[in-house]
Amino acid sequence: EQAFPAACPGCGVIFAKLAETPVRVTPPASNADAGVNGANAAVKGEHTSHASEEAVGTLIARGMELMFYVPSQVSRVNWFGRIALLALFTVWTYFIWRDMNIPAGDMGSRVLHIILTPFHEAGHYLIFRWFGEFIMILGGTLGQHLFAIVLGGALLWKRRDPFGAAVFFWVLGFSVSDMGVYMYDAFDPKLMLLDGKTGADSDGHDWQNIFGILGLLKSARGIGVFFGGVGRVMMLLGLVWAAWMLWLQHGRLSDSPFAEDDVET
């Protein structure tokens, strides 16, 4: 249309040059390209999955190696001492289970309960008080569990002593049962607390407060019985683990009392 000007009077663009400029259109990916990209993504995802599985497998293998580690030589004196210790804990387990009565508030061993109490209080005020009120209340129970977990883990990881770790796993099991007694009491508090009062007379009952916050107070008794049973199973597993370690060590006994001193790290 020659009647129109050669350039736009508003912006100065020359119409002829604009018409001659080719429009670049990105061609759609072909089915072959899409298939290749999809295959590459699938291969990458498969490699990532295999790497994750290998890492988990390595971690499990490392854990099993630590849990059932046996040194090249085992001191005969230490081995018989472990047998005596296992026999003592087995008999002690019988008496604890005989006397344990969760509905009556009896944890089965006041000695162990007293040993755990300082770690319970330390969990409240020294370790978990910095993480908010709820965690501080829960921290008492976490603290008494950590006592057994940290010491057992140190024996297993640093000393390579799975028998000692099994003993502290037994202690952790008792701690869980002890927690079950405390949980059961939350519904209708009768246990005497450190302040000389029951949970009905003060607000110092940990699990009454925790279950109240979570809306689980009506289920406190059932939860307490459940964890009381879990703790007993853990105690039994601790004894079985310790006994199995003695069986594995039997074939490597040495008369040297220092046979286990040179532990590979």
Side-chain angles (χ1 to χ4, degrees), residues 63-75 79 82 156 159-163 241-254 259-260 262-264:
M64 296 295 289
E65 178 186 351
L66 287 172
M67 286 180 61
F68 301 104
Y69 171 78
V70 180
S72 57
Q73 291 186 327
V74 177
S75 170
W79 189 74
R82 289 169 187 147
L156 190 63
R159 295 292 303 167
R160 286 198 172 187
D161 182 6
F163 179 88
W241 182 11
W244 181 246
M245 291 311 306
L246 290 177
W247 175 261
L248 294 178
Q249 293 174 3
H250 178 263
R252 301 187 181 182
L253 296 182
S254 169
E260 301 174 40
D262 297 329
V263 179
E264 297 181 2

Side-chain angles (χ1 to χ4, degrees), residues 82-131:
R82 289 169 187 147
I83 289 180
L85 187 63
L86 177 60
L88 174 64
F89 271 79
T90 301
V91 174
W92 197 7
T93 301
Y94 166 77
F95 285 108
I96 290 174
W97 287 3
R98 184 197 66 181
D99 298 336
M100 184 180 293
N101 189 333
I102 292 177
D106 194 340
M107 63 287 301
S109 174
R110 294 199 174 275
V111 172
L112 271 177
H113 178 76
I114 291 172
I115 291 173
L116 292 175
T117 298
F119 299 96
H120 181 102
E121 298 304 316
H124 281 312
Y125 303 111
L126 295 180
I127 304 175
F128 295 104
R129 65 177 298 182
W130 318 105
F131 303 99

Side-chain angles (χ1 to χ4, degrees), residues 144-185:
Q144 72 180 56
H145 292 345
L146 282 174
F147 161 69
I149 293 172
V150 171
L151 292 181
L155 286 174
L156 190 63
W157 185 261
K158 294 294 185 181
R159 295 292 303 167
R160 286 198 172 187
D161 182 6
F163 179 88
V167 171
F168 276 102
F169 188 80
W170 180 93
V171 175
L172 179 61
F174 174 83
S175 182
V176 171
S177 290
D178 183 76
M179 176 186 71
V181 174
Y182 204 6
M183 288 175 162
Y184 187 97
D185 185 68

